[in-house]
Amino acid sequence: MSSNDYKNKLEALSNLPDNTLSIGQNSQREIIDTTTDNDTEVVVISAHDLSDIACDIEGVVTVLNDIGHLLALVHYAKIPPHTVVTMSRLTNDSVNTWINLLNARLEKTNQILALTRYGKEVAQ
């Protein structure tokens, strides 16, 4: 890892409390550790999985924001009734899709957490 890469990562993570970041690298992988000294359990997940979780959260935030705007338009009677019906149907489809996606993500996350003291029992 070059010193510039290391510096950029430190700057990107500068909002973390002191003594919560270490960056190491072996020939196979880079490990960014944001745990603190009092963390007694640590789960290591790939950056790819963490990125997927962040993208899912961002997607849900976007959908909820859109639903909020739609409800405001309905409340203030800014769109005609036939459009409200269509938009409601599309909103319902979108919500159902996100529910399914997030339930799948939650199940996978809970399976990992079940291995720790923070998890719920996962049926086998």
Side-chain angles (χ1 to χ4, degrees):
M1 177 183 340
S2 75
S3 61
N4 281 343
D5 290 341
Y6 185 79
K7 182 179 176 185
N8 290 341
K9 288 181 183 185
L10 287 176
E11 288 173 4
L13 298 169
S14 63
N15 293 334
L16 294 173
D18 291 339
N19 301 321
T20 61
L21 173 66
S22 66
I23 300 175
Q25 185 173 11
N26 62 28
S27 62
Q28 300 281 322
R29 65 178 68 173
E30 179 179 357
I31 300 168
I32 301 171
D33 183 358
T34 61
T35 59
T36 60
D37 291 339
N38 62 349
D39 290 333
T40 58
E41 284 186 289
V42 177
V43 175
V44 178
I45 64 170
S46 71
H48 180 266
D49 287 344
L50 186 59
S51 175
D52 282 351
I53 292 168
C55 287
D56 288 347
I57 293 169
E58 182 180 21
V60 171
V61 167
T62 301
V63 168
L64 290 174
N65 189 43
D66 291 346
I67 291 170
H69 287 291
L70 176 62
L71 291 174
L73 291 171
V74 170
H75 175 74
Y76 294 111
K78 298 284 185 179
I79 54 179
H82 71 277
T83 303
V84 170
V85 172
T86 302
M87 294 304 291
S88 296
R89 185 174 42 254
L90 290 172
T91 299
N92 183 61
D93 291 346
S94 178
V95 167
N96 287 334
T97 298
W98 276 108
I99 286 171
N100 292 334
L101 289 169
L102 290 179
N103 276 331
R105 171 70 62 199
L106 181 61
E107 183 178 327
K108 182 178 178 182
T109 303
N110 280 336
Q111 287 173 345
I112 295 167
L113 284 174
L115 304 172
T116 72
R117 65 184 169 141
Y118 297 100
K120 299 176 182 178
E121 291 293 323
V122 177
Q124 297 292 339

